[in-house]
Amino acid sequence: GFGRAAHLIISFAAAGICVAGALRRRDGTRVAWLVVALGIVAWNAGDTYWTTVLIDQAEIPVPSSSWRSASANARWAALVAP
């Protein structure tokens, strides 16, 4: 239903806003905005998989968190980017 997809729609919209912000920039912050957007998209990829495939399973496999790890790494890189 809509409840399961609502958070995904909002999160992908946030990634789009970050990309739009990056495209408006001409300085060094453009890369940081793009890395933040990449982190959000990576997080959403894992969340989409969780919402569409794993949520109703009795046993959740551990590797499903790999997208979230990639997302966390991308966000960390955005924090330390010049």
Side-chain angles (χ1 to χ4, degrees), residues 32 35-36 38-40 42 69-79:
V35 171
V36 169
L38 177 65
I40 294 171
S69 295
S71 168
N73 291 338
R75 286 183 310 221
W76 174 251
L79 289 174

Side-chain angles (χ1 to χ4, degrees), residues 3-20:
R4 285 190 179 178
H7 75 283
L8 297 173
I9 294 167
I10 292 168
S11 293
F12 277 114
I17 290 169
C18 288
V19 169

